[in-house]
Amino acid sequence: MRPVVVGTAGHIDHGKTALVRRLTGIDTDRLKEEKERGISIDLGFAHRTLPSGLRIAIVDVPGHERFVKNMLAGATGVDLVLLVVAADEGVMPQTREHLAIVNLLRIGRGVVALTKADLVDPETLGVVRAEVEELLAATPLRGISIVPVSSVTGEGVEALLLALDQAAGLATGREASGPARLPIDRVFPVEGIGTVVTGTLWSGTVRPGDTLTLLPSGQAVRVRQAQVHDRTVEEAHAGQRLALAIHGVSRENVKRGDWLASPGRYRPSHLLDVRLELLDSAPKPLGSRSRLRCHLGASEILGRAVLFERDRLAPGESCWAQLRLEEPAVASEGDRIVIRSYSPATTIAGATVVDPTPVKRARLGPGDSARLETLGSGSAMEKLVVLAEEAGSTGIAGEGAAVRLGSIAESITEAASAAVAAAISVDAEAKLVRLRDGRLLTPAAWRAALEGVVGQVTRYGQANALRDGIPKGELKSLLARELPGAVFDEALEVLLRGNRLAQKADRVTLPEAAPALNPKQALAVGELERRLAGRGFQVPEVSELTRGIPPADRPSELIRYLVDSGRAVKVTSELLYPKALWEDLEARLRTHFQKSPTLSMGAFKDLVQVSRKYAVPMLEHLDRTGLTRREGDERVPGPRIKGG
Ligand SMILES: Nc1nc2c(ncn2[C@@H]2O[C@H](COP(=O)(O)OP(=O)(O)OP(=O)(O)O)[C@@H](O)[C@H]2O)c(=O)[nH]1
Ligand SMILES: [Mg+2]
């Protein structure tokens, strides 16, 4: 059954705790100080079953203006408000402030209890009811049931339960899919169990054995046990109030305001880009960079709001702003933040998180406000396109993206099926391109990736006309700063398939390109080949070989050309053999090994008529290429000869 959390709200002494006790039999004022002073200080928790059978959890909050901070920690995650107004006193300052908070948190359902009905005559009751109706008229709570009750006589309690039942039946519930996220509102040790935390699960599910991350610290914790309404459960769902026994962190390292969340889905940030709205009731305009108290989940974080494109915000107005926080917030796109002035601490504003991990800035660049507009109120697809634009050639992928996407991460699958597959030409209508690894790029970023690869191959070809293409690994590393490996791989593959590029062995070229010698170079190559021939195996060394070739003809490129084109075999950087001569050597070796199982250095020198200076590097090359294998001072046939 759908979990429903009811939160009380209302001015001090208006009878919230007495009413909760009347409804549930549970006294939520547990602290000694609460008992002595007769007021609530911290949050209290109770639960019961409504006439329909629906179970509700109740969070009882303190009304005192000094404890609004605690009220806020409890109000987060509430589905229904039980607004308490004492009939003998009527609407008071914290009635208004709590109501403002309820509205800022978008709690759109509830019931009003006119408490202490036993203390007033029907006429006064009518006046207070009218006052409350007027108060609610301008809010989303307009028209909710207003029920007179007495916690002393029990009068009206049945009617109140029915009204709660009706409102609870309409509550929409929370996202059970998506990552788990729990704002912690209490931490306490339990004998024999360890550290227990409580809170209302904002999204996802939690099971015993799950590993969650404690944020903002980032420590990994394991869930040992989960309880809902004092009963151990095997799975807790979004919207439920739960108590979790956790393992892996000591009591002192957890506090109200921390979060437990699925690993990798939230990144604490000192900066948040938000849509900021100053309440009509704010006493004065808000100046840029004023110090504020920001309440998100059960946390209170001090910080300043840098207003974009203005110096001050008038009551009732809204604008884009960046919150600069003194401690990191664990926020997600779409989260609501309640903002109170620093001193005196009163609720003056609300904010919606648009970007949970923005860059630091004091003003908007061109196009930024349109971007924030889309992130704030666009469709999931529109938001994805904006995020893909930001992500450039990296695209939207992996864990980082999940953090950035927040609630829209869940719409990625849908967007991915609407995206077109990566190809050489992309439909002009397409909004996103999907790569094999699921990554989403804008069509512009994908085209830039393709052009980047072709451009690099072209430039290489121009600079190295005598080489037959660029080695694939070199191409990839030259582009590594622009293109993630997976994007490069797929771009290259698509370009090869589409014949925009060609591959020869491990080298990539333009399809029409072939190494081209200019006439002077062709002459020089002919000269080199001539110099290499005619001295048997005692060929001239490279430095001698290239003597007299003008630097403008790039002798080292010519040598490389001889090797790359297969006309010569490179034995060392100084030693080059004409292809035919080397093949002759291989033939001589095969013949030798048919007659003799081994080959000594002396025999080799005789075989090819060279001095030791040549014989050593030649044999080492033969070893490397598998024609011979060294065994002590001898050579035996290598795998290439043995294998035939
Ligand atoms: N006669 C009468 N007295 C009530 C009723 N409800 C509460 N009271 C009394 O009003 C006083 C305050 O009640 P609480 O329930 O503690 O008020 P509260 O709203 O929880 O106060 P805070 O939590 O401090 O904001 C207590 O002395 C209650 O006995 C009621 O319906 N009738
Ligand atoms: Mg109380």
Side-chain angles (χ1 to χ4, degrees):
M1 215 184 279
R2 182 168 3 90
V4 178
V5 179
V6 177
T8 62
H11 198 71
I12 184 166
D13 233 18
H14 275 202
K16 297 179 289 298
T17 301
L19 182 58
V20 171
R21 196 186 310 120
R22 182 87 206 190
L23 293 175
T24 65
I26 298 170
D27 183 5
T28 57
D29 281 348
R30 296 155 301 123
L31 303 174
K32 186 158 159 270
E33 194 187 348
E34 288 177 322
K35 296 230 186 295
E36 280 167 11
R37 291 170 66 183
I39 62 166
S40 302
I41 293 171
D42 210 343
L43 302 172
F45 301 91
H47 52 85
R48 70 158 287 156
T49 306
L50 293 176
S52 67
L54 193 67
R55 282 193 74 78
I56 54 168
I58 303 182
V59 181
D60 182 33
V61 307
H64 196 297
E65 63 174 318
R66 276 193 42 220
F67 307 132
V68 173
K69 175 181 161 176
N70 295 341
M71 180 271 176
L72 273 156
T76 190
V78 158
D79 302 294
L80 288 186
V81 60
L82 175 56
L83 181 64
V84 170
V85 182
D88 61 341
E89 228 179 19
V91 171
M92 296 293 281
Q94 267 64 53
T95 318
R96 294 180 191 282
E97 184 167 17
H98 284 194
L99 183 63
I101 289 168
V102 163
N103 288 332
L104 287 172
L105 292 174
R106 305 274 192 260
I107 302 167
R109 300 190 191 281
V111 174
V112 180
L114 294 184
T115 50
K116 309 196 186 184
D118 56 296
L119 297 182
V120 300
D121 55 35
E123 203 183 327
T124 312
L125 207 55
V127 171
V128 177
R129 176 190 285 272
E131 194 187 10
V132 171
E133 278 170 355
E134 197 193 320
L135 177 70
L136 296 180
T139 76
L141 292 172
R142 173 183 56 249
I144 61 173
S145 304
I146 301 178
V147 186
V149 291
S150 168
S151 300
V152 173
T153 66
E155 170 204 341
V157 166
E158 292 308 314
L160 181 66
L161 285 171
L162 290 175
L164 278 174
D165 224 341
Q166 207 175 22
L170 296 172
T172 38
R174 286 168 176 271
E175 225 10 85
S177 65
R181 191 179 181 207
L182 178 87
I184 296 173
D185 54 31
R186 268 192 308 169
V187 189
F188 48 88
V190 172
E191 189 77 39
I193 289 188
T195 305
V196 172
V197 301
T198 69
T200 303
L201 191 60
W202 274 20
S203 60
T205 54
V206 173
R207 291 178 203 85
D210 282 357
T211 296
L212 299 174
T213 308
L214 178 70
L215 293 168
S217 73
Q219 272 167 285
V221 305
R222 211 169 49 76
V223 177
R224 294 176 64 177
Q225 204 188 90
Q227 284 200 342
V228 175
H229 302 311
D230 301 335
R231 278 199 303 250
T232 300
V233 295
E234 284 313 306
E235 184 169 84
H237 301 273
Q240 281 178 324
R241 264 208 70 76
L242 49 144
L244 298 179
I246 55 173
H247 193 83
V249 65
S250 61
R251 164 73 191 85
E252 316 79 70
N253 294 325
V254 196
K255 60 178 193 312
R256 170 179 288 173
D258 287 350
W259 303 76
L260 283 178
S262 297
R265 295 299 300 264
Y266 302 92
R267 192 188 317 137
S269 170
H270 285 86
L271 302 174
L272 302 174
D273 278 357
V274 299
R275 184 79 196 172
L276 183 69
E277 357 150 358
L278 196 60
L279 293 176
D280 278 324
S281 59
K284 57 175 194 206
L286 178 70
S288 194
R289 297 171 195 263
S290 320
R291 200 151 184 240
L292 300 167
R293 301 168 184 274
C294 302
H295 296 264
L296 170 62
S299 71
E300 179 192 37
I301 305 177
L302 296 177
R304 295 174 195 277
V306 174
L307 306 183
F308 287 143
E309 295 170 325
R310 59 171 81 209
D311 298 327
R312 52 195 0 229
L313 187 63
E317 287 187 352
S318 67
C319 71
W320 299 114
Q322 180 161 82
L323 297 181
R324 301 220 176 130
L325 303 168
E326 293 170 23
E327 282 161 66
V330 179
S332 184
E333 177 266 340
D335 282 356
R336 295 286 299 165
I337 296 175
V338 174
I339 294 179
R340 307 182 78 219
S341 47
Y342 180 68
S343 177
T346 54
T347 303
I348 55 164
T352 306
V353 176
V354 175
D355 187 342
T357 52
V359 292
K360 187 170 183 174
R361 58 184 166 179
R363 58 187 61 79
L364 297 178
D368 276 350
S369 66
R371 175 184 154 274
L372 287 172
E373 194 69 52
T374 305
L375 288 179
S377 47
S379 67
M381 187 64 172
E382 287 165 340
K383 290 180 188 182
L384 277 175
V385 170
V386 167
L387 297 177
E389 276 163 8
E390 278 173 29
S393 60
T394 304
I396 304 178
E399 231 173 49
V403 169
R404 186 62 191 80
L405 291 167
S407 62
I408 47 174
E410 311 317 316
S411 37
I412 270 229
T413 336
E414 204 181 312
S417 58
V420 302
I424 230 169
S425 67
V426 169
D427 188 349
E429 306 280 276
K431 293 199 161 44
L432 292 171
V433 173
R434 183 184 64 250
L435 268 56
R436 229 184 353 240
D437 66 354
R439 190 186 299 265
L440 299 174
L441 265 66
T442 61
W446 172 244
R447 274 183 225 113
L450 294 176
E451 277 156 26
V453 176
V454 173
Q456 190 61 254
V457 172
T458 308
R459 279 194 301 284
Y460 187 92
Q462 284 160 354
N464 305 281
L466 297 187
R467 297 187 204 172
D468 202 5
I470 175 170
K472 197 167 147 185
E474 191 178 341
L475 178 61
K476 189 170 185 170
S477 69
L478 281 171
L479 288 164
R481 264 201 291 164
E482 294 149 56
L483 300 181
V487 177
F488 168 84
D489 291 343
E490 194 158 346
L492 179 60
E493 199 184 298
V494 161
L495 289 164
L496 291 171
R497 211 177 327 127
N499 296 321
R500 283 287 307 281
L501 293 177
Q503 186 162 350
K504 297 180 187 165
D506 75 325
R507 291 173 165 265
V508 181
T509 65
L510 295 176
E512 64 281 7
L517 298 174
N518 64 34
K520 272 182 75 191
Q521 286 172 323
L523 282 176
V525 165
E527 176 60 22
L528 287 177
E529 286 186 301
R530 226 174 354 266
R531 290 181 190 176
L532 270 181
R535 272 170 56 180
F537 286 93
Q538 304 259 20
V539 294
E541 289 190 340
V542 164
S543 43
E544 188 191 335
L545 191 65
T546 54
R547 195 165 298 150
I549 294 181
D553 289 346
R554 307 184 58 188
S556 64
E557 280 297 298
L558 296 176
I559 295 290
R560 184 193 264 273
Y561 172 79
L562 281 175
V563 175
D564 284 355
S565 64
R567 293 164 193 229
V569 173
K570 181 177 167 184
V571 170
T572 68
S573 61
E574 275 298 309
L575 208 51
L576 221 57
Y577 284 94
K579 179 79 176 303
L581 190 59
W582 198 257
E583 279 168 1
D584 177 40
L585 167 64
E586 292 186 9
R588 289 188 204 191
L589 279 175
R590 284 175 207 277
T591 318
H592 173 88
F593 283 126
Q594 275 161 15
K595 288 181 276 177
S596 159
T598 61
L599 173 73
S600 66
M601 174 66 78
F604 182 71
K605 279 161 51 180
D606 289 346
L607 192 68
V608 292
Q609 295 294 310
V610 292
S611 65
R612 196 182 161 80
K613 187 178 99 177
Y614 285 89
V616 170
M618 286 174 84
L619 278 169
E620 281 170 359
H621 186 77
L622 291 168
D623 290 343
R624 272 199 304 280
T625 52
L627 280 142
T628 52
R629 192 160 59 76
R630 190 174 175 154
E631 228 169 55
D633 288 339
E634 307 270 288
R635 252 65 184 194
V636 296
R640 274 178 59 204
I641 286 188
K642 261 200 279 186

